Amino acid sequence: KWDAVAKECKDISFTGQPILIGTTTVEKSDMLGELLKEYQLPYQILNAKPENVKREAEIVAQAGKRNSITIATNMAGRGTDII
């Protein structure tokens, strides 16, 4: 299932369309991030890990930019608009 998501991200990335992927757990977002890394796709992870909290609003705001891939765990980034 996750490999298919990563392959779809690779295909969509050629068009420049921004991609937002929702996951149910931090572990799933990290695992998907590792898969995207194998496909050499740049991405941002938005989850409840302390290292991401300070950048939360920035990550969400940039999620709509061309060629961006954002992986978001449920409830992360609440209260911030995507540009």
Side-chain angles (χ1 to χ4, degrees):
K1 168 183 170 178
W2 293 108
D3 194 51
V5 171
K7 286 179 184 175
E8 185 73 12
C9 286
K10 186 170 181 90
D11 292 343
I12 293 171
S13 70
F14 289 118
T15 70
Q17 177 181 337
I19 302 167
L20 177 61
I21 305 163
T23 63
T24 55
T25 66
V26 171
E27 294 77 21
K28 288 179 182 176
S29 65
D30 287 340
M31 184 269 311
L32 181 56
E34 289 302 314
L35 271 175
L36 293 178
K37 195 180 295 181
E38 289 177 20
Y39 281 85
Q40 299 179 356
L41 295 171
Y43 63 91
Q44 296 290 322
I45 292 184
L46 179 62
N47 59 30
K49 284 188 172 181
E51 61 266 24
N52 295 328
V53 171
K54 290 182 181 180
R55 296 187 49 238
E56 185 173 281
E58 176 189 345
I59 292 170
V60 172
Q62 299 303 315
K65 288 186 99 174
R66 185 169 174 80
N67 294 315
S68 67
I69 300 175
T70 307
I71 304 167
T73 303
N74 290 352
M75 297 302 291
R78 58 211 169 272
T80 306
D81 292 331
I82 297 175
I83 298 175

